[in-house]
Amino acid sequence: MRDICMHILDLTQNSVDAAAHNVRIVLEELSQDNLMRLTIEDDGCGMSAEMLRKLTSPFTTTRTTRKVGMGTSLMDMVCQQTNGKLVITSELKVGTKVVATMQLDHLDRPPLGDLVGTLKLMVLTFSEKVDFCFTYIIDRKEFKFSTKELRDILGEDISFAQPEVLEWLNNFLRASIKELKEDTL
């Protein structure tokens, strides 16, 4: 995967596939600690201890359409290559938590990628099945976005896929993330 946003999308898809109703995503860039940390936590079906042990193997997957699962193994490789680590905890019928850390300024750390496009895609793809809360922290400043809050504001009858809603969402996300980045300079 060429950027962090692709990992976010892949790991969130895993949460949706695990029948999660709520997914919490926190992306932190902590320059003082030279650390990037991605945390994705869900309330899905969780995994057994045996599955958890095999999870970073590319030949482990729960999908029936193919015999390989590259997402977590690639995330693990990126973490290792950037002086970080991947820690996954899970409990059956409770959920799963993935914490990926990387050295922020490491040459091999993938770029962030299109965060706004990724969030919009997640809203369009996952919001019918799951509520997700995304928090982006740069040093001590943060931006939060929640599909539950957006649904509360818009009402249940308005689809996130409506062109006016998508345009507003695009503008809101771009402006909010731009402001966050400018505030931390």
Side-chain angles (χ1 to χ4, degrees):
M1 290 183 217
R2 66 181 179 268
D3 59 48
I4 301 297
C5 284
M6 292 292 99
H7 288 287
I8 292 171
L9 195 57
D10 180 67
L11 293 168
T12 303
Q13 179 67 57
N14 291 346
S15 294
V16 172
D17 291 346
H21 297 288
N22 298 285
V23 178
R24 188 176 67 87
I25 306 160
V26 179
L27 179 63
E28 300 171 275
E29 293 180 23
L30 307 169
S31 59
Q32 191 171 22
D33 299 326
N34 195 19
L35 177 73
M36 176 179 269
R37 179 173 35 234
L38 171 63
T39 305
I40 299 180
E41 191 170 9
D42 69 48
D43 62 354
C45 62
M47 291 178 273
S48 68
E50 179 185 351
M51 181 64 166
L52 199 52
R53 278 191 300 278
K54 299 188 300 186
L55 195 59
T56 56
S57 165
F59 302 106
T60 299
T61 184
T62 58
R63 294 188 177 133
T64 57
T65 56
R66 62 179 186 240
K67 295 182 181 186
V68 294
M70 299 298 288
T72 53
S73 61
L74 288 173
M75 184 83 255
D76 186 43
M77 182 183 71
V78 166
C79 292
Q80 289 179 32
Q81 288 177 336
T82 58
N83 299 326
K85 63 182 176 179
L86 179 67
V87 177
I88 304 171
T89 55
S90 188
E91 188 176 336
L92 283 172
K93 299 180 184 177
V94 175
T96 300
K97 182 177 183 178
V98 175
V99 180
T101 58
M102 295 157 267
Q103 182 180 324
L104 185 60
D105 69 355
H106 199 283
L107 182 64
D108 292 327
R109 185 185 59 79
L112 180 57
D114 181 7
L115 187 56
V116 172
T118 300
L119 290 172
K120 285 184 351 190
L121 181 61
M122 288 168 54
V123 166
L124 288 173
T125 307
F126 304 142
S127 64
E128 297 295 319
K129 301 173 186 171
V130 65
D131 284 322
F132 68 87
C133 180
F134 174 79
T135 304
Y136 186 20
I137 301 168
I138 301 178
D139 295 322
R140 293 191 178 130
K141 306 280 185 180
E142 75 175 44
F143 162 70
K144 268 191 178 177
F145 171 74
S146 165
T147 56
K148 183 176 181 342
E149 288 178 11
L150 183 58
R151 195 173 293 104
D152 289 346
I153 292 167
L154 295 176
E156 293 293 327
D157 297 335
I158 297 180
S159 168
F160 292 162
Q162 289 181 353
E164 305 85 23
V165 174
L166 280 177
E167 183 178 348
W168 173 86
L169 183 60
N170 185 64
N171 294 337
F172 168 73
L173 291 171
R174 284 204 188 286
S176 299
I177 291 170
K178 181 181 178 189
E179 181 181 327
L180 174 68
K181 288 184 176 194
E182 288 173 351
D183 281 352
T184 58
L185 294 178

